[in-house]
Amino acid sequence: MVKERVTVIDIAHAAGVSKSTVSLVLQASPLVNEATRAKVNAVIRELGYVYNRGAANLRQSNSKSKIIGIVVNDLTNSFFAELAVGVDMVVQSAGYVQFLSNSGESVDRQREVIASMREHGISGLILSPARGTEAADLKPLVASGIPVVNVVRQVAGAKVSSLVSDNHAGMRDAVRHLAGLGHHRIAFLGGFPDTAVFNERMQGYRDALADMDLAVHDELVVSSAPSRAGGVAAIERALMLHERPTAAVCFNDAVAFGVCDGLRAHRLDPGEDFAVIGFDDVIEAQTAVPALTTISVDPQGMGRRAAQLLLKQINAGKADAEAIVGSVRLVVRQSCGSATDKRERLSLL
C-alpha cells in the first residue's frame, strides 16, 4: 500500500520554521531569504518530501489520482511513439489519463520529469530508463509504493516490474537467416555498448555465428547512436573495412533505415547489393523501400501489456515486482535478398 506522505508540518518542525515559510519555499517565493530557503530545501531532500500539486483536490474528492506517467528515453524513435499508443489504448479505456515525457537519454532530465509527475499525484509509472539509470534512482518510487513497470530496458537491482523483449533470440534468428542465405561476413551495426539491450543482442549475434560455424570478427561490430543518423555513420565505417561485410543485423529499425540511406549514398541497393535486417518492426518497416526485414517486437502490443501490468498492480494496491520477457519473431521482407556474392561490387567502391 502507498505509505503515509511526509507533510509540510513535518518539514516545518524539522527545519525550525513555520508552515507558511515552508509553503513559500515550495512556491519559490522571493519573500524567503536564501539561508532559510537552503535549510528548508535540505530538510525536504532529507525527508524525501514530494510536493503534490493536486493533493487538496484529491482530499476533497477522497478519490485516487487517475493519471499514469510514461517516460521514454528517445521519443524521436517511432518505436516509443507506437509503445505510447499501446499504453494509451489500455489506460484510457480504464478511465486514466496518460502523461508522456521524453528523457532524451539524460538521467537528470528523467529525474526531473518523474519528480514533476509525482507532484501531480500519478498512480503509476511506465518507464523506459535513460542510459545510466541505477536502482537508487527508482528507490524513492518503490519506497512510496507507486507501481513502476520498466519497459525495453531493465535496471539491475531495481525492485520494480519489467517487460522486455527476447533480445538474444531475436538477434540469433536474424543472423542465422542471413547465414542461411549465404552471407559469411555479417556486421552488427548500431547501439550503445553500455546498455543491457546491446549486450543481449550482441550475445545473440555471437552465438548465432558460432552455431553457423562462422568466425567472429570484432571489426564487424560497429557501435553508434541507435538512430537513423547513427545507422548512416555505422555503415560508412563498415564500408571502409578492407574486407567489407555483405550483410548487417542492426540494433533497431531506426539504425537499419540509416544503413539503407548510407548504402544508397554509395550507389548500393539494399536487398540487392547488401542485406539489411532491423529490430522492432515499427510501422514504417512495412512501407520502406525496400520493405525492411526485421525482428518483430510489436511495440503497440508491448505498450498494452505494460499498461495492463501496471493497472493490475494499481488495482491490487501493491506493487509486487514481475519480470516478463516477450517473444519475438523474424519478419522476412525485401531488404535481405539472397547472397549471390557481392564482394566484387563492394570492391569497386
Side-chain angles (χ1 to χ4, degrees), residues 43-76:
V43 172
I44 287 172
R45 288 191 296 271
E46 181 181 349
L47 297 184
Y49 175 78
V50 176
Y51 179 35
N52 190 337
R53 299 179 191 275
N57 289 336
L58 290 173
R59 283 195 297 270
Q60 290 172 4
S61 62
N62 195 31
S63 65
K64 287 185 178 180
S65 157
K66 303 296 284 186
I67 301 171
I68 298 296
I70 174 169
V71 182
V72 301
N73 55 287
D74 183 12
L75 198 51
T76 65

Side-chain angles (χ1 to χ4, degrees), residues 64-106:
K64 287 185 178 180
S65 157
K66 303 296 284 186
I67 301 171
I68 298 296
I70 174 169
V71 182
V72 301
N73 55 287
D74 183 12
L75 198 51
T76 65
N77 184 339
S78 61
F79 172 92
F80 291 106
E82 292 183 40
L83 184 142
V85 168
V87 171
D88 195 57
M89 289 177 179
V90 173
V91 300
Q92 187 180 55
S93 64
Y96 286 79
V97 174
Q98 172 182 287
F99 276 12
L100 174 63
S101 189
N102 176 46
S103 70
E105 295 290 12
S106 167

Side-chain angles (χ1 to χ4, degrees), residues 5-343:
R5 293 177 182 271
V6 176
T7 68
V8 171
I9 295 175
D10 296 329
I11 301 297
H13 285 165
V17 298
S18 67
K19 178 183 174 182
S20 60
T21 297
V22 175
S23 296
L24 289 172
V25 171
L26 291 171
Q27 296 166 26
S29 171
L31 299 176
V32 182
N33 67 58
E34 289 305 314
T36 300
R37 187 189 310 279
K39 181 168 65 173
V40 172
N41 281 328
V43 172
I44 287 172
R45 288 191 296 271
E46 181 181 349
L47 297 184
Y49 175 78
V50 176
Y51 179 35
N52 190 337
R53 299 179 191 275
N57 289 336
L58 290 173
R59 283 195 297 270
Q60 290 172 4
S61 62
N62 195 31
S63 65
K64 287 185 178 180
S65 157
K66 303 296 284 186
I67 301 171
I68 298 296
I70 174 169
V71 182
V72 301
N73 55 287
D74 183 12
L75 198 51
T76 65
N77 184 339
S78 61
F79 172 92
F80 291 106
E82 292 183 40
L83 184 142
V85 168
V87 171
D88 195 57
M89 289 177 179
V90 173
V91 300
Q92 187 180 55
S93 64
Y96 286 79
V97 174
Q98 172 182 287
F99 276 12
L100 174 63
S101 189
N102 176 46
S103 70
E105 295 290 12
S106 167
V107 174
D108 289 339
R109 170 65 178 163
Q110 176 178 277
R111 190 178 298 116
E112 291 172 359
V113 298
I114 291 176
S116 178
M117 288 178 176
R118 290 186 66 190
E119 289 178 6
H120 286 84
I122 57 171
S123 292
L125 175 69
I126 294 174
L127 172 68
S128 180
R131 290 171 64 200
T133 300
E134 298 178 350
D137 295 310
L138 303 181
K139 190 174 181 180
L141 290 163
V142 175
S144 67
I146 297 175
V148 178
V149 175
N150 279 348
V151 292
V152 181
R153 295 174 176 173
Q154 294 175 317
V155 176
K159 297 178 181 180
V160 302
S161 294
S162 62
L163 174 59
V164 299
S165 303
D166 195 338
N167 295 303
H168 179 276
M171 195 57 75
R172 181 195 61 204
D173 291 348
V175 173
R176 284 178 173 177
H177 181 72
L178 290 173
L181 293 176
H183 294 281
H184 296 161
R185 286 183 63 79
I186 303 168
F188 182 109
L189 304 180
F192 294 124
D194 61 348
T195 62
V197 176
F198 180 95
N199 291 323
E200 290 166 5
R201 293 180 185 177
M202 173 55 61
Q203 193 58 53
Y205 167 79
R206 292 180 177 275
D207 288 348
L209 290 176
D211 292 344
M212 304 301 289
D213 293 322
L214 297 177
V216 176
H217 299 285
D218 289 340
E219 71 271 17
L220 292 180
V221 177
V222 184
S223 62
S224 70
S227 63
R228 193 161 191 148
V232 173
I235 191 61
E236 287 285 346
R237 289 165 58 189
L239 292 177
M240 290 174 63
L241 294 172
H242 176 69
E243 189 176 353
R244 300 180 177 93
T246 61
V249 288
C250 300
F251 179 78
N252 60 17
D253 287 350
V255 169
F257 294 143
V259 167
C260 291
D261 292 340
L263 289 168
R264 282 187 282 264
H266 285 274
R267 297 185 179 180
L268 291 170
D269 292 326
E272 294 292 332
D273 301 314
F274 194 100
V276 180
I277 296 183
F279 205 115
D280 283 344
D281 197 21
V282 297
I283 291 174
E284 295 95 325
Q286 302 177 45
T287 56
V289 179
L292 184 65
T293 296
T294 185
I295 300 299
S296 179
V297 171
D298 184 13
Q300 285 195 25
M302 177 176 277
R304 290 193 298 271
R305 291 185 69 187
Q308 290 163 354
L309 177 57
L310 188 69
L311 289 176
K312 182 177 76 171
Q313 294 179 355
I314 292 171
N315 293 333
K318 56 184 179 179
D320 292 336
E322 297 183 46
I324 300 173
V325 179
S327 61
V328 298
R329 64 187 178 90
L330 175 67
V331 178
V332 179
R333 299 192 180 101
Q334 287 74 50
S335 69
C336 64
S338 60
T340 55
D341 193 0
K342 310 302 181 186
R343 294 184 184 86

